[in-house]
Amino acid sequence: MTAHRTDAPSPCRPLRVGPHALLVEVAGTEEAQALHAELLRRRAAGTLPPVTEIVPAARTVLLDGLADPQALAADIVHWDVPPLAAVGSEPVVLPVRYDGADLAEVAALWGVAEDEVARLHSGLEFRVAFCGFAPGFGYLTGLPEHLHVPRRATPRTSVPAGAVGLAGPYTGVYPRSSPGGWQLIGRTDAVLWDVAREPAALLAPGTRVRFEVST
């Protein structure tokens, strides 16, 4: 699919952040993922001005290291950004033991038996929308709306590394032990963050992810 410039302004809102950065606000996470993918595509094609970092978030994409942020701000509002492509590189597969402390609560919220949570969750494909909270932590989208669950009313003071959780529209894996309020449904031995690895993060924005039932 080919993106092109359009005369109709897009709903994105570019904001200057310092002398060399631009923060582009969009309508939501799906739009931020699409814009991030389009920026990567244009950079690979050599049609994006030189930039040192492209960092997606829930409803924004930050571009840092621009020589002329104002010029890109004037241009980007005319981009016709295509929706995310349904295919791409092979997904990262994370084996999960579905025995989390909140499995029964999530099953009740979903209206299914506990073992059905594993079947439903492992049957979906996710995509890393953005990273944050802790090094290596990715916010994964792909849960249909009827499977969204609220955060715990009382966060835990310590969640073990490898815990697989749910919160709102996201699923994620704790890369290290830390406080957290996500609903825990399982655990994985996958190493999400390793400074001796290049790259250190197993899950980067745009990565496709599947969970696999492990015993």
Side-chain angles (χ1 to χ4, degrees):
M1 183 178 295
T2 301
H4 60 276
R5 180 187 170 101
T6 174
D7 291 333
S10 74
C12 75
R13 179 175 178 236
L15 302 167
R16 287 285 300 274
V17 182
H20 299 296
L22 198 64
L23 185 69
V24 184
E25 293 181 343
V26 292
T29 303
E30 187 174 331
E31 289 81 2
Q33 291 181 80
L35 177 59
H36 177 247
E38 176 65 7
L39 287 163
L40 295 182
R41 189 197 68 76
R42 291 187 182 226
R43 182 165 68 174
T47 58
L48 185 71
V51 58
T52 56
E53 288 193 273
I54 302 174
V55 184
R59 294 185 175 181
T60 62
V61 180
L62 175 70
L63 297 102
D64 194 15
L66 292 165
D68 189 351
Q70 193 60 42
L72 183 58
D75 184 47
I76 202 169
V77 295
H78 297 287
W79 287 9
D80 182 11
V81 177
L84 278 173
V87 296
S89 58
E90 288 297 310
V92 172
V93 178
L94 302 178
V96 176
R97 297 181 294 281
Y98 284 90
D99 57 2
D102 301 315
L103 188 64
E105 183 169 343
V106 170
L109 289 168
W110 285 4
V112 300
E114 290 185 26
D115 57 0
E116 186 71 356
V117 172
R119 190 189 70 79
L120 289 170
H121 188 256
S122 63
L124 297 167
E125 181 170 298
F126 298 90
R127 183 184 180 97
V128 182
F130 57 97
C131 296
F133 168 60
F137 187 91
Y139 290 77
L140 278 59
T141 56
L143 278 175
E145 188 170 354
H146 70 280
L147 298 184
H148 295 183
V149 299
R151 291 170 179 263
R152 287 174 49 82
T154 303
R156 292 184 170 88
T157 57
S158 180
V159 175
V164 178
L166 305 174
Y170 303 112
T171 189
V173 181
Y174 285 77
R176 66 184 186 193
S177 177
S178 63
W182 290 38
Q183 306 270 7
L184 306 182
I185 60 172
R187 51 199 165 104
T188 179
D189 293 328
V191 178
L192 277 292
W193 179 258
D194 182 356
V195 294
R197 185 174 57 199
E198 180 59 41
L202 179 63
L203 306 180
T207 302
R208 297 163 60 206
V209 179
R210 284 199 308 106
F211 295 93
E212 185 177 76
V213 178
S214 175
T215 57

